[in-house]
Amino acid sequence: MINRYATSLYRSIYESLKLLGLFIFLFSFGTANICGQNMDDEEIKRVQRTIFIYNFAQQIGWPELDEKDTFKIGVLGPDRTILDLKSMAQKRKIFGKQIEIIRFQSVKSIKDIELLYVHNKFNYDINYILRKVSGKNILLVTEDYNYKTSMINMVNVGNSFEYEINEERITNEDFVVAPSLKQYAITSSQKWKGLLKTTEDSLEKALDENKEQKAVIEEKEKQITQQKEKITNQERAIDTIQFRINERNKWIEELSIESKIQEKKYEEKLLIEKELEKNIQDQLTFIKDQDKRINDSAEEILKQQEYLDQQNDQIKKQEAVLQEQLSEIDSQKKINWSLIALIIITIVAGFVLYKNYLNKKKLSAKLQQKNKEIHEQSLVLASKNKELEQFAYIASHDLQEPLNTISSFIGLISEDYGDSFDEVGKESLDYIKDASIRMKKLIDSLLEYSRLGRTKEFSNVNMNIVLKELKGDFKHILERTNTVIMANDLPIVKGNEIELRLLIQNLISNGIKFTRENTIPEIQIDATHRSINEHTKGFWEFSVKDNGIGIPEIHKERIFAIFQRLHSREKYQGTGIGLAHCKKIVESHGGQIWLESEEEKGTTFYFTIPQ
């Protein structure tokens, strides 16, 4: 079946090449319709090239594309394809972004674009181009280069294009290729060479037939030239006779003036009359000959006109037949390509399904083994976590009992025997009392830290309501410090309301606490929706920005550790566990937390909550 379709396809190509020769013949006689058809084919090819380039861009996953306002396409060299790209950019967008087209005259000037198009006819070194765009998230689309030398390479086949992709190079640039782009790409160098060979053979056949048609055209032009020369010779003969008559008339006039006919002798008058009579006879003879030649020329012109009319009628009939044949060929070509594509898709789909079946079978066995190992590890981890929680609770509870005893006895000693101590003793009792209170706060903080992240029962939490309630809780502190809290419309997220409230509370408290003297604290809270790609729900990225003292670069990771402090207790109070609470809350919700800070200019804390 495939051989039958291939034979039909070759026959269609042969007929197309014969018609191409006829097109050239008609064009040589000034047939405007055929010229228009060729121009239409060229326009269609240019539009198809542009559509291919735009579709390549649409079927590639671009890293960090959401942060850019426009999608930029570059064209290398004096290629007129830039005009087609600019024309389509006015009607189309890529990933919802406006398109900007840029021309580069040299490889070294390439920068700040997402896609670069290069045609091999301008002889640019592909390896130099690849080194230039490497690591810059630029997709390289080329035309008529060798197989697997570029990222995406196109070849002109008939009135359309085929392409092949180099997945290794595309993946190295952190691009993600859509399955549909892989599905229709050429996957072997032999097929790529075959397409190039087919195009070259078709061009050679068209050129051979073009030579034959040119020979016919030259013969026709030779006949027309001979006819023109014949008419020109006749016109020259007529001009010669007319010149002789004019000369004779001139001679008679001169003779008449010089002799003064009324004064000449009778014989001279007779001579003049004879000459006049002879002149008249010559003129009559010339006129008769001229009329005969004019009639002959007119008949010859009529014959030539009839011949030209017959040729025009024949050309019109050939045009009609040609249009019918073109329509049939186009229909046949579409059917052939559709059937070939269907067969190839069926074979490839069967192979892919079988390969997927084998891969799934292997992966299923590996997955079962991994699930078993993960289940065993989860049991061990659950047991360890439970033991750690029990240890933290028991240790904290047992530590509080002697601590309470110490605090009680210090209170009794201060009340009963405080007057018996000197100033040094009283100061020592105060130190012991403060240390016990600080130890109790540390134990309470440790207990609270151990409880965080236990519950996984999440609900919809309106962060606007959480912030409003926190402003009520901080009312006295806000009034005392004149703190300004600003926030845009915050989203509703999935999580534990108590823990998310504690998270925002700790970040706001730090923003108020760690502020320079004589500075009014200003805190800005925002939330932005982010998505990795169009197939995922994405996440919310929150930011809490203050105008505080800032955090040195070397301490950016240390501050999230438990009980870590960057300043003395006399300068800034606290246990140093607040940011550790924040980190544990965010990670228990499946997010991340980080910061950006500059000393004396403030700090911005970022954290993410999955949608």
Side-chain angles (χ1 to χ4, degrees), residues 443-468:
I443 293 172
D444 291 337
S445 297
L446 183 62
L447 280 172
E448 185 177 359
Y449 183 80
S450 67
R451 295 190 191 102
L452 291 176
R454 290 184 181 179
T455 177
K456 295 299 181 181
E457 296 179 359
F458 293 164
S459 60
N460 291 328
V461 181
N462 190 328
M463 299 304 291
N464 290 306
I465 297 176
V466 170
L467 181 60
K468 182 178 180 181

Side-chain angles (χ1 to χ4, degrees), residues 315-332:
I315 288 172
K316 290 180 180 179
K317 291 179 182 179
Q318 289 177 344
E319 286 180 0
V321 174
L322 181 61
Q323 292 295 333
E324 293 178 359
Q325 291 178 346
L326 283 175
S327 178
E328 293 177 0
I329 288 172
D330 289 339
S331 301
Q332 186 65 34

